[in-house]
Structures are given as C-alpha cells and as structure tokens.
Amino acid sequence: MSSTDPAEYGYPAERARLLADPDSTGPQRRAALARLTDDWLAALYRAAGAPARTALVAVGGYGRAELSPRSDLDVLLLHEGPLAADLAERVWYPVWDSGVALDHAVRTPGGAREVAAADLKAQLGLLDARHLAGDPRLTADLRSAVLADWRAAAPERLPELRELGRARAERHGEASFLLEPDLKEARGGLRDLVALNAVAATWLADAPRDGLDEAARTLADVRDALHLTTGRATERLSLQDQDQVAERLGVLDADTLLRQVYRAARTVAYASDVTWRAVDRVLAERRRPVPRRAVRFGFPFNGARRAPVGPAAPERRPLAEGVVEQDGEAVLAQAARPATDPVLPLRAAAAAAQAGLTVGYATVRRLAAESAPLPVPWPDEAREQLVTLLGAGEACLPVWEALEAEGLISRMLPDWERVRCRPQRNAVHRWTVDRHLIETAVRAAAMTRRTARPDLLLVAALLHDLGKGWPGDHSEAGEVIVRDVAVRMGFDKHDTDTLALLVRHHLTLVDTATRRDPDDPATADLIAKTVGTQTHLELLHALTEADATATGPAAWSSWRASLVATLVERTAARLAGETRPPAADPEVTADQERLAVEAARTGAPALAFTAHVESGPDGGEPMGVELTLAIPDRPGLLGAVAGVLAVHRLTVRKAGLRELDPVGAGPVLLLSWTVAAEYGDLPDAARLRADLRRALDGSLDVGRKLAERDAAAPRRRGISTPPPVVTVAPHDASRSATVLEVRAHDAPGLLHRIGRALDASGVRVRTAHVSTLGAEAVDAFYLTSADGGPLAAGRAEEVARAVRAALEPR
C-alpha cells in the first residue's frame, strides 16, 4: 500500500489504480476491489479502538464481494456491550471523506434480527453478511440466527419477496426488451439474482443453474463498464452510453452489447419463473390438510404398523399423446419416448398452451436433450401442433419462452437465431424482433375468425419479420426466407406462395392507406392487383392489424385502422367480380363406389377403415385412420356419426360429405373422415362399427354419452378463444345450395353439435367440407331445403342462428 496511515491506508489511490488497470476486469476485479476495501475498513476499525464484543460486517452486495466501481459500501457495526458514542463516527468519517458512498448501521444482534423481521430488504442484506473485523463469533452467530429466521418464516416471506419483484418489474419493465434497460432493477436484472439466492437459502427450492452464473457475470460486467464510462453510480444503460460501454468491453457494437444483455436477462427471468413455480408447488403442498390418521412418525394412529404415510402421488391427467398434466404443468407421460417421436416437443407445447399451462422445467430439459430432430419436410402433425400452439394466444407466451430458453425453437426454426434478442432501435417498437414476432402471433390468434385460413395467418405472423436478420429491405429478404421455411415446414406450393405474399407485403396496406389518395380508384386497383384474391386480402388485413398492435401504441390508432379498413373495403369491391368456385370434390374411388352400391342395395350402412399414412422422406407412417361410411340418406346422419367419433376420442382432421346415386335407387351419402386418436391409441374397429350402427338405429344416445363424459371430466381453466362465427356465404358461392360457413375453436363434439342443429332445423346437408387447422375448425356445409333447392335468405339466417346457439358455451 502507498500509505501506512490507518486512517487513509492509501485506499483512494490504490482503488483508482485497480479500476484503471486494463488487465483487471470482471469477477477478478470485483473480488480484488472487495479485498482492498476489506483491508481498508478493517484498518479503520482497528484505528478507531473498537472494544471487544464488536464486529464490522459487510452486508448486501458488498457482503457478496460484488463491488462495482461505484457501488455503495453496505456495512454494519455489530456490538453486544456498551459502545462509545463516537466509535461509529471514527470508522465512518474517513469513508465519507474519501467520497465513497456508505450505507451504514449500528446494531446489536437482537436489534439486527428485529429490523430484519420488520424489513424484508434488510433481511435480504443480512443473508449475505460477511465478517470484516472484530469478533468473528458475533458475525457467525448473527448469520446463523438470520438464516434460521429466514427459513422459519419462508412461507410468509417468500410471497412478499415475489411481490417486491413484481412491483420492480411493473416500475422498470423487462431488461430483455428495453432499449435502455435498468441492469439492476428491471425484470431479469441483478436484483432478481439476489432474490433467487434468497429462495435457495430457504432450502424450499433452487433455481436452474445452467447459464445463470454466466448471465450474472454478463450483467455485472456491463454494469462495471457503465460505472466507469459515466463516472456515476447509474444502473440504466442509456442510449448515449452504449457505444462507449461496448468499446470498453471489447464488444463489436451497441447492438451486440444489447443482445448480450438481453440474453442474460432472459436467462435470469426464465430461472425466476421456474423457481417461483417450484415455490408455489411447495407452499401449496404445505397448505394441504394432513389426513387425520397420518400423524406421529408418519404412521397411522390405529396402533397397527403400516407403510409410512407420505404425500399422495400427484394426479396425472392426459392432455395429448405422450403428455399429461401434473401439479399445474404439462409433463411427459411415462410411456413418452422423445427419441422416437420428433413431434413430441411441439405436441407438448401445444397441449400445454391450449390448457393454459406451461411445460415443466424438467420436461423441457428432457425434450431438449433427447428429442429427435424434425424430418424435412415436417410431418402434417408438426405443422398442426405449431398452429395450435400459436393459436392459444396469450397462453402461448410462457410456453414459447420455455422452449426458447432450452434452444428448442432455434432447433426447429434455424432462422430464428438471427432475430433472437435482436434490438429494434425505433421508438415505435416496444419489443425485440423475436418477441415482436410471437406477440404478433398472439394478436393474430384473436383474429382467426376473420379468415378461412387461420393457419396461414398465424404462421405468417410468426415469420413476417425474419428478414430483419439480413441486410437490405426486410420484407424482400423475408419473402425469400419464408419460402424456404415454408417448404421445410411441408406447406404445398399454393400455401407457400400465400405465405411469401403476406410476408413481402405485410406493410403494404398501412403504407398505401396512409400515403395514397383513398378516393383514387387506382389505389384500390393497386391492392387488388397485389393480393389477387379475397382470401389473400382477408389474411393481409388481419396480419397488418396484428403486426401494428404488436409493435406498440404509436403504430396503430383508430385513424390508421379506419384508413386501412376503408382501403380493404374498396379493394374487396374490386375483387367482388371474381367467381367463387365451390370446393371441388375428389373423384369417387372404386372402393368408395363399392361401399355406396352395397349401402344402396342393403339399405344398411357400409363402412371401411384404412390406415392414414402421412408422407415423409422414408415413405411415411400411420397417423390415424381413414373412415369411409356409405349409407342411404336419412336425417341426423352427420351429427350421429360425428358424435360416435367424439365418444371414442377421435379428433376429426378432415371430413367430406357428398351425395351419390350409384344404382338409381335413391341417394346415398358418402362420408369420408380423416381421424386421429386424441391420446394415441385408436379404438377397436369392431367396437367403433357397432357403436356407429347403434347410433344410427337410435339405440345409442350419443348426446347423453358425451354429456356424461364431460360432467365426469375434471375442469381445467383452459384458454379464452374468439367466439364462433357462423355466416351464410354470398349467393354466388353455389347455384344449387346455400353455403353455411362455420369458424370455431375445435373441441370434442363440435361437429356433433353442428350436425344436430342442422338436423333440428329440418335442412338437408348435401355436401360438407370440414377442416381442422391447428386448433381451429373451418367448415362449409352445402344446405338444401326438402325440395332440393337453396334456402330462402330468411330461412338461411334462421339456420345460422340455430347453429350459433348450439355452439354457445355450455
């Protein structure tokens, strides 16, 4: 040391040299600064003539030996006996004179514990108490007592600690999304790391440690560089300081610096989410009443020695194939095999989101470690599960964050890594690029009733800004990227072209509406030429609104919404002349013809089951069954068959109904279904056939069966979804029938309820086209009156009202 004067001890000069040393950085410098400060304060304590039964104790960040260049010194002078009135000042004054910020207190051990019991922040500081000088027994006893108090009061104090964190996040936002993040107070910042250590000290739960130390180091290193750059004890990484901080840390540029901060903050925030869920489970378990006979030493009180009474095995309820609900989380079923089921991560994520749950930490870790990569192109089920996940809206976010934290998103979508944690230096944007994309999908989930292709809307919302990871116009780059991504996902050429159009033109509507004359016919003509079809216009309109509302309050207003809506309305009028061809029916196969002839001759239903094989690079694998049913036309047919499938827990992916007259003896209805088992195991074909016949002859009450099952099923909170939309298509949709369109959230028995409503309305279903896109049902029913003609306008609206009523929540 440059001085032996105990009152000075050369501290300011030595401290300045340490902070200026370019070879001293990171944890080593923080530890060295703490040691230098320890020696200085210990010398001041000794020079002050401190008596026996006193101790100088570092608390808080200083107690953890985590001193940044402008950190306060949190110090406690602990004593048991009498204390000279000026002793504390003899220690504190040299610190004040040096210009170092000091947070000090003088307490007895009992007084320190009383303050801690009343003040959570004080208790957190004492959890990190570290001896500096004096009687080490005093410090050790205080640490032991404070830790014991903390553990004993954990059930009461942990909720208070959690609320402190929530209040901080409310005030300071999330560090992983802010252009000027507060490194200490924002969610994912250094304060949350202190809270995680405090939770671990209770022995009730511990944070996932992978990457946490590295995240803590990143945040602390950036904070050190910020202190040295500004010369102030600031925690906010302001825009004007970011370039200098990046240069001091040897980072490429300010954007790279922010991405490092964002990644670290997300690691901390995710660890916090996992930890607090674990705390909730432990505290909930402690609040459960103990069975009356389960008492002393865990044995019953009836005198007979039986097996120890422990906590009941957690209830596991099925959510999807290979996925169950347990303790409020989605976890893998015991029979699940991630290594041989590449769709399992998406299936688990979709099931969790649709049930309003998150995926358990251990489950996500296992999926990341064991799951086989998705084949290219993706199987149909993988696309459906991705759409189902995105369609869950707000419930998708925590699930997506969990998958992203373990690298599963970048594994499925390699292009995601280029936009992950990428900042957007635009005051209009409130999110990083990747979070903006998933937020857009969340908002698009509320707009799925506005288009006949909700799956394309959701996928376009997720991918529309992928071009921001590349040079040039992000819309043009995004069009190229999305074509490649869509092909890898297994979309056909038509859908790939649609996705590319949506990405290329996702800004076109709002730019045109705000910059061109809306009254000029050329404006609507330009958009009509761009989109080409009414379906594309509907998709682009919904994507435009979802994108803008996910950007921030300044990006969307009632004025802009009105301009865009007017442009869309006028463009739709330009497109109204397009002919709306009816959905084409595939040609009748020889097997279908045989079934129809058999049904016409016998007057009884004829059924056939074949495996539904999904194509893939290795030829494909069975993904369900194709059920073909031919039966002489009769009332209630559609609802009865759909109800039997629901009773057997079969999910309808696709369905078609058409009318044939194979032998001229009267109409035969041919129903073609593509179904999959809800939990993986297909029902016995003979039993399904028998139940179909019973339902058709009236001996099986399908409605009552479904109601009984629903009543017995445990109630889950689930998610909120947009209400069903039932509309009568324009008269040009079909010349020979009235087309009823139904868009609704898919649910067990949905098609059964629609079929019963149509039957009760006394109309004939001549043709039906049923599609399940993710978790959304998009159905079209071609209806005729008893005389075989289209329904009158008023009659058609009556039928639509009946179907709406049947789909109302029960």
Side-chain angles (χ1 to χ4, degrees):
M1 296 294 176
S2 59
S3 172
T4 56
D5 181 358
E8 294 295 338
Y9 209 71
Y11 176 76
E14 291 293 335
R15 180 177 177 276
R17 276 194 289 273
L18 175 62
L19 296 180
D21 182 1
D23 295 327
S24 179
T25 60
Q28 296 82 5
R29 181 175 62 196
R30 288 188 286 276
L33 183 57
R35 287 194 300 271
L36 178 66
T37 305
D38 291 352
D39 293 342
W40 179 48
L41 291 178
L44 293 175
Y45 170 84
R46 289 191 294 270
R53 293 189 297 168
T54 63
L56 197 63
V57 183
V59 298
Y62 180 30
R64 296 187 298 275
E66 296 174 355
L67 277 185
S68 286
R70 293 289 175 176
S71 289
D72 292 355
L73 300 182
D74 295 328
V75 184
L76 171 65
L77 182 57
L78 199 61
H79 68 97
E80 278 190 328
L83 201 64
D86 63 344
L87 174 64
E89 283 75 7
R90 292 202 299 271
V91 179
W92 307 148
Y93 269 111
V95 180
W96 292 328
D97 291 343
S98 73
V100 176
L102 177 68
D103 189 354
H104 59 87
V106 180
R107 306 251 190 264
T108 64
R113 291 176 67 188
E114 288 178 5
V115 170
D119 185 344
L120 178 58
K121 293 181 180 179
Q123 188 166 40
L124 294 176
L126 287 174
L127 290 177
D128 294 309
R130 181 169 59 85
H131 184 71
L132 295 177
D135 187 347
R137 179 186 57 83
L138 274 181
T139 305
D141 288 349
L142 177 63
R143 268 188 63 88
S144 298
V146 168
L147 279 169
D149 293 343
W150 176 242
R151 287 164 185 154
E156 293 76 35
R157 305 235 76 172
L158 285 181
E160 185 182 353
L161 177 60
R162 187 176 196 175
E163 285 306 312
L164 276 180
R166 286 174 172 166
R168 280 200 319 274
E170 190 70 26
R171 288 194 305 272
H172 300 281
E174 297 194 51
S176 52
F177 304 122
L178 297 168
L179 276 176
E180 295 184 316
D182 189 306
L183 302 169
K184 187 175 183 180
E185 303 291 346
R187 182 172 185 262
L190 294 165
R191 287 279 192 205
D192 281 347
L193 285 163
V194 174
L196 290 177
N197 290 333
V199 173
T202 65
W203 294 345
L204 295 182
D206 194 10
R209 292 290 160 180
D210 284 353
L212 203 56
D213 289 343
E214 182 182 352
R217 173 175 177 165
T218 295
L219 293 173
D221 287 353
V222 175
R223 183 193 190 204
D224 287 359
L226 179 63
H227 284 190
L228 292 172
T229 295
T230 62
R232 295 179 290 109
T234 180
E235 313 298 342
R236 186 173 296 281
L237 186 58
S238 298
L239 290 172
Q240 67 266 23
D241 300 321
Q242 290 173 9
D243 287 320
Q244 290 176 275
V245 171
E247 183 179 0
R248 184 177 289 275
L249 290 171
V251 174
L252 179 63
D253 55 27
D255 275 6
T256 305
L257 172 68
L258 277 181
R259 291 189 82 174
Q260 291 181 355
V261 171
Y262 292 163
R263 288 177 188 269
R266 288 193 192 184
T267 298
V268 175
Y270 176 62
S272 298
D273 289 342
V274 171
T275 302
W276 285 114
R277 286 200 300 271
V279 169
D280 287 344
R281 286 195 298 273
V282 171
L283 295 184
E285 182 67 30
R286 287 190 169 195
R287 288 192 292 267
R288 287 177 188 164
V290 179
R292 294 180 61 185
R293 290 172 58 184
V295 285
R296 189 180 306 171
F297 307 119
F299 290 94
F301 248 154
N302 61 358
R305 188 174 179 84
R306 299 183 182 178
V309 176
E315 185 179 1
R316 296 166 68 88
R317 294 179 286 192
L319 291 174
E321 181 185 354
V323 188
V324 298
E325 177 186 352
Q326 177 180 309
D327 288 335
E329 294 180 335
V331 302
L332 295 185
Q334 294 177 352
R337 297 293 179 266
T340 58
D341 187 355
V343 183
L344 185 56
L346 278 172
R347 191 186 309 121
Q354 287 291 324
L357 309 171
T358 190
V359 185
Y361 172 69
T363 293
V364 182
R365 296 278 293 169
R366 184 182 170 195
L367 289 170
E370 300 180 19
S371 290
L374 281 168
V376 177
W378 288 11
D380 290 348
E381 188 197 357
R383 289 195 311 281
E384 292 170 1
Q385 297 295 352
L386 174 64
V387 171
T388 301
L389 169 61
L390 300 176
E394 290 284 349
C396 167
L397 288 174
V399 177
W400 190 270
E401 289 174 351
L403 266 61
E404 189 176 54
E406 299 300 334
L408 283 163
I409 299 300
S410 294
R411 185 187 303 178
M412 291 185 292
L413 300 170
D415 297 276
W416 192 260
E417 196 58 33
R418 293 187 72 97
V419 297
R420 185 168 182 260
C421 295
R422 181 175 290 276
Q424 304 200 75
R425 295 188 175 276
N426 184 323
V428 172
H429 280 277
R430 61 178 300 189
W431 306 110
T432 54
V433 177
D434 59 331
R435 181 57 180 259
H436 168 69
L437 291 174
I438 191 63
E439 289 282 346
T440 303
V442 166
R443 282 153 181 78
M447 304 174 189
T448 50
R449 303 294 180 268
R450 289 165 47 172
T451 174
R453 291 302 303 272
D455 54 333
L456 296 184
L457 171 62
L458 292 168
V459 173
L462 180 69
L463 305 179
H464 76 277
D465 272 350
L466 279 186
K468 288 186 175 178
W470 297 83
D473 185 299
H474 78 277
S475 297
E476 294 177 0
E479 179 184 7
V480 176
I481 295 167
V482 80
R483 285 189 179 278
D484 177 62
V485 174
V487 170
R488 279 189 274 126
M489 286 182 171
F491 285 103
D492 63 25
K493 184 180 184 307
H494 181 271
D495 288 349
T496 297
D497 289 344
T498 299
L499 288 170
L501 182 146
L502 294 174
V503 171
R504 175 66 182 86
H505 293 287
H506 70 271
L507 298 176
T508 298
L509 277 182
V510 72
D511 286 349
T512 304
T514 54
R515 298 176 184 177
R516 299 283 294 267
D517 180 3
D519 295 323
D520 186 347
T523 304
D525 289 341
L526 174 65
I527 299 301
K529 183 178 179 181
T530 298
V531 298
T533 69
Q534 183 69 33
T535 298
H536 288 167
L537 181 63
E538 290 174 351
L539 284 167
L540 193 59
H541 187 195
L543 176 60
T544 299
E545 185 173 339
D547 180 22
T549 54
T551 297
W556 195 245
S557 62
S558 58
W559 172 72
R560 287 195 174 196
S562 175
L563 289 178
V564 170
T566 299
L567 177 58
V568 168
E569 182 180 349
R570 292 176 178 176
T571 304
R574 293 291 191 279
L575 295 170
E578 71 179 53
T579 302
R580 297 179 48 148
D585 288 315
E587 293 185 5
V588 178
T589 67
D591 288 339
Q592 291 173 336
E593 183 77 22
R594 178 184 57 79
L595 288 173
V597 170
E598 180 184 344
R601 287 178 175 171
T602 63
L607 303 94
F609 296 89
T610 56
H612 170 54
V613 178
E614 187 168 280
S615 60
D618 300 320
E621 58 178 317
M623 297 298 294
V625 295
E626 297 278 5
L627 165 62
T628 305
L629 169 65
I631 187 170
D633 193 6
R634 57 189 294 177
L637 185 62
L638 179 63
V641 177
V644 171
L645 297 181
V647 167
H648 284 266
R649 298 189 181 277
L650 290 173
T651 299
V652 179
R653 288 180 173 171
K654 253 188 305 190
L657 181 152
R658 60 198 302 187
E659 188 178 280
L660 303 175
D661 190 355
V663 295
V668 170
L669 290 186
L670 183 71
L671 296 94
S672 302
W673 308 78
T674 300
V675 298
E678 192 174 345
Y679 301 126
D681 294 326
L682 292 169
D684 177 71
R687 183 178 174 191
L688 179 60
R689 182 183 287 107
D691 281 352
L692 282 169
R693 287 174 172 158
R694 290 172 58 211
L696 293 172
D697 67 23
S699 60
L700 175 63
D701 187 340
V702 174
R704 183 176 61 82
K705 197 87 170 174
L706 287 172
E708 289 174 352
R709 192 183 72 185
D710 289 346
R715 293 293 177 188
R716 296 192 182 99
R717 55 182 175 177
I719 59 171
S720 59
T721 59
V725 171
V726 183
T727 57
V728 179
H731 63 83
D732 62 353
S734 173
R735 295 178 180 177
S736 58
T738 297
V739 181
L740 188 75
E741 296 179 344
V742 179
R743 299 173 185 175
H745 191 76
D746 192 31
L750 175 69
L751 194 53
H752 169 67
R753 292 157 68 187
I754 296 173
R756 289 189 63 181
L758 293 176
D759 181 49
S761 297
V763 296
R764 293 180 59 220
V765 181
R766 195 192 69 193
T767 308
H769 300 274
V770 175
S771 299
T772 304
L773 304 170
E776 299 299 317
V778 180
D779 305 338
F781 302 92
Y782 287 69
L783 310 177
T784 65
S785 60
D787 61 10
L791 306 181
R795 176 79 172 115
E797 188 51 45
E798 287 179 9
V799 175
R801 283 197 296 269
V803 174
R804 286 190 203 105
L807 298 183
E808 289 179 355
R810 292 174 294 178

